[in-house]
Amino acid sequence: MAWSGHATPDGTAAYRERFKGRLAPEHFTSYQDLSASSIGMGTYLGHHDDATDRLYRDATLRAVELGCNVVDTAINYRFQRSERAIGEALKTLFESGKAKREEVIVATKGGFIPFDGEPPQNPADYFQKTFVEPGVASPSDIVGGCHCMTPEYLQHQLDASRENLGLECLDVYYIHNPETQLHEVSRDEFLRRMSRAFELLEMNVQQGAIRFYGTATWTAYREPQDAPDYVSLSELVGLAQDLAREDHHFRAIQLPMNLAMPEAWTQKNQRVDGVEMSPLEAAKHLGLSVMASASLYQGNVAQGLPPAVGEVFSGLDTDAQRAIQFVRSSPGLSVALVGMRQVAHVEENLATARLAPVPLEQFLKLFQNP
């Protein structure tokens, strides 16, 4: 049975109120009309086995107990197993009454070709039987041997994600790394494909399958404007406006932000109304909410940080917490996603929520020359 409903303003506000006096009020941010925890649950890494499924399930349960109401995944993460593990955790939370559907923001992604549970012995045969024979996608639809975003394919993946997660409605649905398409198609063709994908997702909003849609990217919004895989936020918003004017639901983006990759804040590569802005500034101007991926850069910025970082982000016990504090303090960012499959890591990382993100003047000290 799929759970009905979706995250709501009242539901997420009620969740926020439960942590009053326990966590910093500023831990909860505005994500469109929702109250979102500034630290979200990421589910990318890990082996495709039952043991890792259990780890993610238990970590998700603990995260929601400690003040994290944002869960992010993708259908291709661990061959669909991350979505299914999250689905099990959500079912447990909702059935036990420890959380309600309207309190939790669930985001997932589609675009990459996923296997089912484990790598198949014959990937070509799997692709033929799963996608070609049912008419979901043809070989000519695939870019780079791994990526597809035709309307037929995205609908298939969206429906599969809803089933995996056990939810009738997804709060956020991202097209996953659409810049992959630019490796093989022209920019005009890319924009045409994005428009068709947006049209499909707007239809799914109207049908109650999703609330918002967006793009989860790796390089697209951080590259210089002349880079082959650069994507303009203004252009994408324009496509959505062409479809639904100001009532469009392209309202969410995701991009990397961490101490080693600060371009979302430092790179003035997005032109909005004739003004050069950073991706975070542009997103705010255009009405887009932002989640950061790779907040700990797969652990690469979770230890051995220079003393200057500790001076700017004081009051914390570990470098992982300081690295998370950097991301959640980034102006214009709503949620710092952190991959967590160990309960101990959930408890360490969510302890950061006891403190408010640092104010802008403190954040900027990290970028000042000594």
Side-chain angles (χ1 to χ4, degrees), residues 106-166:
V106 182
T108 193
K109 317 174 189 74
F112 288 109
I113 306 295
F115 295 140
D116 191 348
E118 61 183 5
Q121 291 185 345
N122 188 327
D125 184 61
Y126 167 82
F127 178 77
Q128 179 72 20
K129 291 181 178 178
T130 305
F131 300 107
V132 177
E133 291 178 5
V136 175
S138 66
S140 62
D141 295 327
I142 310 305
V143 168
C146 65
H147 195 271
C148 182
M149 59 182 199
T150 63
E152 297 80 7
Y153 177 76
L154 287 178
Q155 187 65 61
H156 177 273
Q157 295 293 276
L158 171 55
D159 292 340
S161 288
R162 291 166 61 210
E163 182 176 353
N164 286 342
L165 289 160

Short mmCIF file of all heavy atoms in Angstrom, two decimals, residues 106-166:
data_model
loop_
_atom_site.label_atom_id
_atom_site.label_comp_id
_atom_site.label_asym_id
_atom_site.label_seq_id
_atom_site.Cartn_x
_atom_site.Cartn_y
_atom_site.Cartn_z
N VAL A 106 10.43 14.21 0.92
CA VAL A 106 11.12 13.12 0.23
C VAL A 106 11.42 13.54 -1.20
O VAL A 106 10.53 13.95 -1.95
CB VAL A 106 10.27 11.84 0.23
CG1 VAL A 106 11.03 10.69 -0.44
CG2 VAL A 106 9.87 11.45 1.66
N ALA A 107 12.70 13.44 -1.57
CA ALA A 107 13.15 13.81 -2.91
C ALA A 107 13.85 12.63 -3.56
O ALA A 107 14.61 11.90 -2.90
CB ALA A 107 14.10 15.01 -2.84
N THR A 108 13.60 12.44 -4.85
CA THR A 108 14.34 11.42 -5.59
C THR A 108 14.60 11.93 -7.00
O THR A 108 14.21 13.04 -7.36
CB THR A 108 13.63 10.07 -5.57
OG1 THR A 108 14.53 9.06 -6.04
CG2 THR A 108 12.38 10.07 -6.43
N LYS A 109 15.29 11.10 -7.80
CA LYS A 109 15.79 11.55 -9.10
C LYS A 109 15.65 10.45 -10.13
O LYS A 109 15.67 9.25 -9.80
CB LYS A 109 17.28 11.91 -9.00
CG LYS A 109 17.68 12.70 -7.77
CD LYS A 109 19.19 12.88 -7.69
CE LYS A 109 19.60 13.48 -6.37
NZ LYS A 109 19.49 12.51 -5.25
N GLY A 110 15.54 10.87 -11.40
CA GLY A 110 15.52 9.93 -12.50
C GLY A 110 16.29 10.48 -13.69
O GLY A 110 16.32 11.69 -13.91
N GLY A 111 16.90 9.60 -14.43
CA GLY A 111 17.66 9.99 -15.61
C GLY A 111 18.68 8.95 -16.00
O GLY A 111 18.84 8.61 -17.18
N PHE A 112 19.38 8.42 -15.01
CA PHE A 112 20.35 7.36 -15.27
C PHE A 112 19.63 6.01 -15.34
O PHE A 112 18.63 5.79 -14.67
CB PHE A 112 21.45 7.32 -14.20
CG PHE A 112 22.41 8.47 -14.29
CD1 PHE A 112 22.42 9.48 -13.35
CD2 PHE A 112 23.32 8.54 -15.34
CE1 PHE A 112 23.30 10.54 -13.44
CE2 PHE A 112 24.21 9.59 -15.45
CZ PHE A 112 24.20 10.60 -14.51
N ILE A 113 20.17 5.11 -16.15
CA ILE A 113 19.57 3.78 -16.30
C ILE A 113 19.90 2.96 -15.06
O ILE A 113 21.08 2.70 -14.78
CB ILE A 113 20.12 3.07 -17.55
CG1 ILE A 113 19.95 3.94 -18.80
CG2 ILE A 113 19.45 1.72 -17.72
CD1 ILE A 113 18.55 4.23 -19.20
N PRO A 114 18.90 2.54 -14.29
CA PRO A 114 19.19 1.76 -13.08
C PRO A 114 19.07 0.26 -13.32
O PRO A 114 18.23 -0.20 -14.10
CB PRO A 114 18.10 2.23 -12.13
CG PRO A 114 16.92 2.43 -13.03
CD PRO A 114 17.47 2.88 -14.38
N PHE A 115 19.91 -0.49 -12.65
CA PHE A 115 19.68 -1.92 -12.57
C PHE A 115 18.69 -2.18 -11.44
O PHE A 115 18.24 -1.25 -10.76
CB PHE A 115 20.99 -2.67 -12.34
CG PHE A 115 21.97 -2.56 -13.49
CD1 PHE A 115 23.33 -2.40 -13.27
CD2 PHE A 115 21.51 -2.60 -14.80
CE1 PHE A 115 24.22 -2.29 -14.33
CE2 PHE A 115 22.39 -2.49 -15.87
CZ PHE A 115 23.75 -2.34 -15.63
N ASP A 116 18.33 -3.44 -11.25
CA ASP A 116 17.28 -3.78 -10.29
C ASP A 116 17.84 -4.70 -9.21
O ASP A 116 17.87 -5.91 -9.36
CB ASP A 116 16.12 -4.45 -11.01
CG ASP A 116 14.89 -4.60 -10.12
OD1 ASP A 116 15.00 -4.39 -8.90
OD2 ASP A 116 13.81 -4.92 -10.66
N GLY A 117 18.32 -4.10 -8.13
CA GLY A 117 18.79 -4.87 -6.99
C GLY A 117 20.25 -5.24 -7.04
O GLY A 117 20.95 -5.23 -6.03
N GLU A 118 20.74 -5.57 -8.23
CA GLU A 118 22.13 -5.96 -8.41
C GLU A 118 22.46 -5.88 -9.90
O GLU A 118 21.56 -5.84 -10.74
CB GLU A 118 22.37 -7.38 -7.89
CG GLU A 118 21.54 -8.44 -8.61
CD GLU A 118 21.73 -9.82 -8.02
OE1 GLU A 118 22.44 -9.93 -7.01
OE2 GLU A 118 21.19 -10.78 -8.59
N PRO A 119 23.74 -5.86 -10.25
CA PRO A 119 24.09 -5.82 -11.67
C PRO A 119 23.64 -7.10 -12.37
O PRO A 119 23.87 -8.21 -11.87
CB PRO A 119 25.62 -5.71 -11.66
CG PRO A 119 25.96 -5.22 -10.30
CD PRO A 119 24.93 -5.78 -9.37
N PRO A 120 22.98 -6.98 -13.53
CA PRO A 120 22.54 -8.19 -14.24
C PRO A 120 23.73 -8.89 -14.90
O PRO A 120 24.76 -8.27 -15.20
CB PRO A 120 21.58 -7.63 -15.28
CG PRO A 120 22.07 -6.24 -15.54
CD PRO A 120 22.60 -5.75 -14.21
N GLN A 121 23.57 -10.18 -15.13
CA GLN A 121 24.64 -10.92 -15.82
C GLN A 121 24.82 -10.42 -17.24
O GLN A 121 25.94 -10.40 -17.76
CB GLN A 121 24.31 -12.42 -15.82
CG GLN A 121 24.40 -13.07 -14.45
CD GLN A 121 24.20 -14.58 -14.52
OE1 GLN A 121 23.72 -15.12 -15.53
NE2 GLN A 121 24.57 -15.26 -13.45
N ASN A 122 23.73 -10.01 -17.87
CA ASN A 122 23.79 -9.51 -19.24
C ASN A 122 23.09 -8.15 -19.30
O ASN A 122 21.87 -8.08 -19.48
CB ASN A 122 23.12 -10.49 -20.20
CG ASN A 122 23.32 -10.11 -21.66
OD1 ASN A 122 23.39 -8.93 -22.00
ND2 ASN A 122 23.41 -11.11 -22.53
N PRO A 123 23.84 -7.03 -19.12
CA PRO A 123 23.20 -5.71 -19.10
C PRO A 123 22.41 -5.39 -20.37
O PRO A 123 21.35 -4.77 -20.30
CB PRO A 123 24.39 -4.76 -18.94
CG PRO A 123 25.44 -5.58 -18.24
CD PRO A 123 25.27 -6.96 -18.80
N ALA A 124 22.92 -5.81 -21.53
CA ALA A 124 22.21 -5.53 -22.79
C ALA A 124 20.86 -6.23 -22.82
O ALA A 124 19.86 -5.65 -23.24
CB ALA A 124 23.06 -5.95 -23.97
N ASP A 125 20.82 -7.47 -22.34
CA ASP A 125 19.57 -8.22 -22.30
C ASP A 125 18.60 -7.58 -21.30
O ASP A 125 17.39 -7.48 -21.56
CB ASP A 125 19.86 -9.67 -21.92
CG ASP A 125 18.60 -10.53 -21.96
OD1 ASP A 125 18.01 -10.64 -23.05
OD2 ASP A 125 18.24 -11.09 -20.91
N TYR A 126 19.13 -7.14 -20.16
CA TYR A 126 18.30 -6.46 -19.15
C TYR A 126 17.68 -5.20 -19.74
O TYR A 126 16.49 -4.94 -19.59
CB TYR A 126 19.15 -6.11 -17.93
CG TYR A 126 18.50 -5.14 -16.97
CD1 TYR A 126 17.58 -5.58 -16.02
CD2 TYR A 126 18.81 -3.78 -17.03
CE1 TYR A 126 16.98 -4.68 -15.14
CE2 TYR A 126 18.21 -2.88 -16.15
CZ TYR A 126 17.31 -3.33 -15.22
OH TYR A 126 16.71 -2.44 -14.35
N PHE A 127 18.48 -4.40 -20.43
CA PHE A 127 17.98 -3.18 -21.03
C PHE A 127 16.90 -3.48 -22.07
O PHE A 127 15.86 -2.81 -22.12
CB PHE A 127 19.12 -2.39 -21.67
CG PHE A 127 18.68 -1.13 -22.35
CD1 PHE A 127 18.37 0.00 -21.62
CD2 PHE A 127 18.58 -1.07 -23.73
CE1 PHE A 127 17.94 1.17 -22.24
CE2 PHE A 127 18.16 0.09 -24.37
CZ PHE A 127 17.85 1.21 -23.62
N GLN A 128 17.13 -4.50 -22.87
CA GLN A 128 16.17 -4.87 -23.92
C GLN A 128 14.82 -5.26 -23.30
O GLN A 128 13.76 -4.80 -23.73
CB GLN A 128 16.74 -6.03 -24.75
CG GLN A 128 15.84 -6.53 -25.86
CD GLN A 128 15.72 -5.58 -27.04
OE1 GLN A 128 16.58 -4.72 -27.21
NE2 GLN A 128 14.68 -5.73 -27.83
N LYS A 129 14.86 -6.12 -22.28
CA LYS A 129 13.62 -6.63 -21.70
C LYS A 129 12.92 -5.60 -20.82
O LYS A 129 11.68 -5.58 -20.75
CB LYS A 129 13.92 -7.89 -20.90
CG LYS A 129 14.33 -9.08 -21.76
CD LYS A 129 14.60 -10.32 -20.91
CE LYS A 129 14.96 -11.52 -21.79
NZ LYS A 129 15.26 -12.73 -20.98
N THR A 130 13.71 -4.75 -20.14
CA THR A 130 13.12 -3.81 -19.18
C THR A 130 12.63 -2.54 -19.85
O THR A 130 11.59 -1.98 -19.44
CB THR A 130 14.15 -3.45 -18.09
OG1 THR A 130 14.63 -4.66 -17.48
CG2 THR A 130 13.53 -2.57 -17.01
N PHE A 131 13.33 -2.09 -20.87
CA PHE A 131 13.02 -0.78 -21.44
C PHE A 131 12.61 -0.82 -22.92
O PHE A 131 11.67 -0.14 -23.32
CB PHE A 131 14.22 0.16 -21.26
CG PHE A 131 14.61 0.38 -19.83
CD1 PHE A 131 15.75 -0.20 -19.31
CD2 PHE A 131 13.81 1.13 -19.00
CE1 PHE A 131 16.10 0.00 -17.98
CE2 PHE A 131 14.14 1.34 -17.67
CZ PHE A 131 15.29 0.76 -17.15
N VAL A 132 13.28 -1.62 -23.74
CA VAL A 132 13.01 -1.59 -25.17
C VAL A 132 11.71 -2.32 -25.50
O VAL A 132 10.81 -1.77 -26.15
CB VAL A 132 14.19 -2.18 -25.97
CG1 VAL A 132 13.85 -2.22 -27.47
CG2 VAL A 132 15.45 -1.36 -25.74
N GLU A 133 11.58 -3.57 -25.05
CA GLU A 133 10.39 -4.36 -25.40
C GLU A 133 9.09 -3.75 -24.88
O GLU A 133 8.08 -3.77 -25.59
CB GLU A 133 10.57 -5.80 -24.90
CG GLU A 133 11.66 -6.55 -25.66
CD GLU A 133 11.86 -7.97 -25.13
OE1 GLU A 133 11.08 -8.39 -24.23
OE2 GLU A 133 12.81 -8.64 -25.59
N PRO A 134 9.06 -3.16 -23.66
CA PRO A 134 7.81 -2.52 -23.21
C PRO A 134 7.57 -1.15 -23.85
O PRO A 134 6.55 -0.51 -23.57
CB PRO A 134 8.02 -2.37 -21.69
CG PRO A 134 9.16 -3.25 -21.35
CD PRO A 134 10.04 -3.28 -22.56
N GLY A 135 8.51 -0.67 -24.66
CA GLY A 135 8.34 0.62 -25.31
C GLY A 135 8.68 1.81 -24.43
O GLY A 135 8.26 2.95 -24.73
N VAL A 136 9.46 1.60 -23.38
CA VAL A 136 9.85 2.68 -22.48
C VAL A 136 10.93 3.55 -23.10
O VAL A 136 10.90 4.79 -22.99
CB VAL A 136 10.33 2.11 -21.12
CG1 VAL A 136 10.86 3.22 -20.21
CG2 VAL A 136 9.20 1.35 -20.45
N ALA A 137 11.90 2.93 -23.74
CA ALA A 137 13.01 3.66 -24.35
C ALA A 137 13.61 2.82 -25.45
O ALA A 137 13.54 1.59 -25.42
CB ALA A 137 14.07 4.01 -23.30
N SER A 138 14.20 3.49 -26.40
CA SER A 138 14.91 2.80 -27.47
C SER A 138 16.40 3.12 -27.35
O SER A 138 16.78 4.10 -26.69
CB SER A 138 14.40 3.27 -28.84
OG SER A 138 14.72 4.63 -29.05
N PRO A 139 17.26 2.31 -27.95
CA PRO A 139 18.71 2.58 -27.86
C PRO A 139 19.08 3.99 -28.32
O PRO A 139 20.00 4.60 -27.77
CB PRO A 139 19.31 1.51 -28.77
CG PRO A 139 18.35 0.38 -28.69
CD PRO A 139 16.99 1.02 -28.62
N SER A 140 18.36 4.54 -29.28
CA SER A 140 18.68 5.88 -29.77
C SER A 140 18.35 6.98 -28.77
O SER A 140 18.81 8.11 -28.91
CB SER A 140 17.94 6.14 -31.09
OG SER A 140 16.54 6.10 -30.89
N ASP A 141 17.55 6.65 -27.74
CA ASP A 141 17.22 7.63 -26.70
C ASP A 141 18.32 7.78 -25.66
O ASP A 141 18.29 8.74 -24.87
CB ASP A 141 15.94 7.21 -25.96
CG ASP A 141 14.71 7.21 -26.83
OD1 ASP A 141 14.64 8.05 -27.74
OD2 ASP A 141 13.82 6.36 -26.61
N ILE A 142 19.27 6.85 -25.65
CA ILE A 142 20.26 6.80 -24.58
C ILE A 142 21.49 7.61 -24.95
O ILE A 142 22.02 7.51 -26.05
CB ILE A 142 20.67 5.34 -24.28
CG1 ILE A 142 19.42 4.47 -24.09
CG2 ILE A 142 21.57 5.27 -23.04
CD1 ILE A 142 18.47 4.96 -23.03
N VAL A 143 21.96 8.41 -24.01
CA VAL A 143 23.17 9.20 -24.17
C VAL A 143 24.27 8.63 -23.28
O VAL A 143 24.03 8.33 -22.10
CB VAL A 143 22.91 10.68 -23.79
CG1 VAL A 143 24.21 11.45 -23.68
CG2 VAL A 143 21.99 11.32 -24.81
N GLY A 144 25.45 8.46 -23.87
CA GLY A 144 26.58 7.97 -23.09
C GLY A 144 26.41 6.58 -22.55
O GLY A 144 27.12 6.18 -21.62
N GLY A 145 25.48 5.83 -23.10
CA GLY A 145 25.24 4.47 -22.64
C GLY A 145 24.60 4.38 -21.28
O GLY A 145 24.47 3.28 -20.72
N CYS A 146 24.14 5.52 -20.71
CA CYS A 146 23.67 5.47 -19.32
C CYS A 146 22.55 6.44 -18.99
O CYS A 146 21.95 6.34 -17.91
CB CYS A 146 24.84 5.74 -18.37
SG CYS A 146 25.53 7.41 -18.51
N HIS A 147 22.23 7.39 -19.88
CA HIS A 147 21.32 8.48 -19.48
C HIS A 147 20.20 8.65 -20.49
O HIS A 147 20.42 8.60 -21.69
CB HIS A 147 22.11 9.79 -19.36
CG HIS A 147 21.38 10.87 -18.62
ND1 HIS A 147 20.53 11.76 -19.24
CD2 HIS A 147 21.37 11.20 -17.31
CE1 HIS A 147 20.04 12.60 -18.34
NE2 HIS A 147 20.53 12.29 -17.16
N CYS A 148 18.99 8.90 -19.96
CA CYS A 148 17.83 9.11 -20.81
C CYS A 148 16.85 10.03 -20.08
O CYS A 148 16.66 9.90 -18.87
CB CYS A 148 17.14 7.77 -21.12
SG CYS A 148 15.71 7.90 -22.22
N MET A 149 16.25 10.96 -20.82
CA MET A 149 15.24 11.81 -20.19
C MET A 149 14.09 12.11 -21.14
O MET A 149 13.50 13.18 -21.11
CB MET A 149 15.85 13.10 -19.64
CG MET A 149 16.55 14.00 -20.62
SD MET A 149 17.25 15.44 -19.76
CE MET A 149 17.45 16.56 -21.16
N THR A 150 13.74 11.13 -21.96
CA THR A 150 12.53 11.27 -22.74
C THR A 150 11.33 11.22 -21.81
O THR A 150 11.38 10.64 -20.71
CB THR A 150 12.40 10.13 -23.77
OG1 THR A 150 12.29 8.88 -23.07
CG2 THR A 150 13.60 10.09 -24.71
N PRO A 151 10.21 11.82 -22.20
CA PRO A 151 9.02 11.77 -21.33
C PRO A 151 8.58 10.35 -20.98
O PRO A 151 8.23 10.08 -19.82
CB PRO A 151 7.96 12.49 -22.17
CG PRO A 151 8.74 13.43 -23.03
CD PRO A 151 10.00 12.69 -23.38
N GLU A 152 8.63 9.45 -21.94
CA GLU A 152 8.21 8.07 -21.68
C GLU A 152 9.11 7.41 -20.63
O GLU A 152 8.64 6.72 -19.72
CB GLU A 152 8.24 7.25 -22.97
CG GLU A 152 7.27 7.72 -24.03
CD GLU A 152 7.76 8.92 -24.82
OE1 GLU A 152 8.93 9.34 -24.64
OE2 GLU A 152 6.98 9.46 -25.63
N TYR A 153 10.41 7.67 -20.76
CA TYR A 153 11.34 7.06 -19.82
C TYR A 153 11.18 7.68 -18.42
O TYR A 153 11.13 6.95 -17.41
CB TYR A 153 12.78 7.25 -20.31
CG TYR A 153 13.79 6.71 -19.34
CD1 TYR A 153 14.02 5.34 -19.24
CD2 TYR A 153 14.50 7.56 -18.48
CE1 TYR A 153 14.92 4.83 -18.32
CE2 TYR A 153 15.41 7.06 -17.57
CZ TYR A 153 15.62 5.70 -17.49
OH TYR A 153 16.50 5.19 -16.58
N LEU A 154 11.10 9.00 -18.33
CA LEU A 154 10.96 9.64 -17.03
C LEU A 154 9.67 9.22 -16.33
O LEU A 154 9.65 9.05 -15.10
CB LEU A 154 11.02 11.16 -17.17
CG LEU A 154 12.39 11.75 -17.48
CD1 LEU A 154 12.29 13.26 -17.65
CD2 LEU A 154 13.42 11.41 -16.39
N GLN A 155 8.59 9.04 -17.10
CA GLN A 155 7.34 8.59 -16.48
C GLN A 155 7.51 7.19 -15.89
O GLN A 155 7.05 6.92 -14.76
CB GLN A 155 6.20 8.59 -17.49
CG GLN A 155 4.84 8.29 -16.88
CD GLN A 155 4.42 9.39 -15.92
OE1 GLN A 155 4.26 10.54 -16.30
NE2 GLN A 155 4.22 9.02 -14.64
N HIS A 156 8.17 6.33 -16.63
CA HIS A 156 8.43 4.98 -16.14
C HIS A 156 9.25 5.02 -14.85
O HIS A 156 8.95 4.32 -13.86
CB HIS A 156 9.17 4.18 -17.21
CG HIS A 156 9.55 2.79 -16.81
ND1 HIS A 156 10.74 2.50 -16.14
CD2 HIS A 156 8.91 1.60 -16.97
CE1 HIS A 156 10.81 1.21 -15.92
NE2 HIS A 156 9.72 0.63 -16.41
N GLN A 157 10.28 5.84 -14.81
CA GLN A 157 11.14 5.92 -13.64
C GLN A 157 10.44 6.58 -12.46
O GLN A 157 10.61 6.15 -11.31
CB GLN A 157 12.41 6.70 -14.00
CG GLN A 157 13.28 6.00 -15.03
CD GLN A 157 13.89 4.73 -14.50
OE1 GLN A 157 14.92 4.75 -13.84
NE2 GLN A 157 13.25 3.59 -14.77
N LEU A 158 9.65 7.60 -12.73
CA LEU A 158 8.89 8.25 -11.66
C LEU A 158 7.92 7.27 -11.02
O LEU A 158 7.82 7.18 -9.78
CB LEU A 158 8.15 9.45 -12.22
CG LEU A 158 7.12 10.16 -11.34
CD1 LEU A 158 7.74 10.60 -10.03
CD2 LEU A 158 6.53 11.35 -12.08
N ASP A 159 7.22 6.51 -11.83
CA ASP A 159 6.28 5.51 -11.29
C ASP A 159 7.01 4.44 -10.49
O ASP A 159 6.53 4.00 -9.43
CB ASP A 159 5.49 4.87 -12.42
CG ASP A 159 4.52 5.85 -13.09
OD1 ASP A 159 4.19 6.88 -12.47
OD2 ASP A 159 4.10 5.57 -14.23
N ALA A 160 8.19 4.02 -10.97
CA ALA A 160 8.98 3.01 -10.25
C ALA A 160 9.46 3.56 -8.92
O ALA A 160 9.46 2.86 -7.89
CB ALA A 160 10.15 2.56 -11.11
N SER A 161 9.87 4.82 -8.88
CA SER A 161 10.32 5.43 -7.63
C SER A 161 9.19 5.53 -6.63
O SER A 161 9.39 5.27 -5.43
CB SER A 161 10.92 6.82 -7.90
OG SER A 161 12.16 6.73 -8.56
N ARG A 162 8.02 5.91 -7.08
CA ARG A 162 6.87 5.97 -6.17
C ARG A 162 6.59 4.60 -5.58
O ARG A 162 6.28 4.47 -4.38
CB ARG A 162 5.64 6.50 -6.90
CG ARG A 162 5.76 7.98 -7.29
CD ARG A 162 4.70 8.39 -8.30
NE ARG A 162 3.36 8.22 -7.77
CZ ARG A 162 2.29 7.94 -8.51
NH1 ARG A 162 2.42 7.74 -9.82
NH2 ARG A 162 1.11 7.81 -7.95
N GLU A 163 6.69 3.55 -6.39
CA GLU A 163 6.48 2.20 -5.88
C GLU A 163 7.59 1.80 -4.90
O GLU A 163 7.31 1.24 -3.84
CB GLU A 163 6.43 1.21 -7.04
CG GLU A 163 6.16 -0.22 -6.59
CD GLU A 163 6.02 -1.19 -7.75
OE1 GLU A 163 5.99 -0.74 -8.91
OE2 GLU A 163 5.95 -2.41 -7.49
N ASN A 164 8.83 2.08 -5.26
CA ASN A 164 9.95 1.74 -4.37
C ASN A 164 9.81 2.42 -3.01
O ASN A 164 10.10 1.82 -1.97
CB ASN A 164 11.27 2.17 -5.00
CG ASN A 164 11.70 1.28 -6.14
OD1 ASN A 164 11.23 0.16 -6.30
ND2 ASN A 164 12.61 1.79 -6.97
N LEU A 165 9.39 3.68 -3.01
CA LEU A 165 9.31 4.46 -1.79
C LEU A 165 7.98 4.25 -1.05
O LEU A 165 7.84 4.67 0.10
CB LEU A 165 9.49 5.95 -2.10
CG LEU A 165 10.91 6.34 -2.51
CD1 LEU A 165 10.92 7.66 -3.26
CD2 LEU A 165 11.82 6.42 -1.28
N GLY A 166 7.03 3.62 -1.71
CA GLY A 166 5.73 3.39 -1.08
C GLY A 166 4.94 4.67 -0.87
O GLY A 166 4.19 4.79 0.10
#
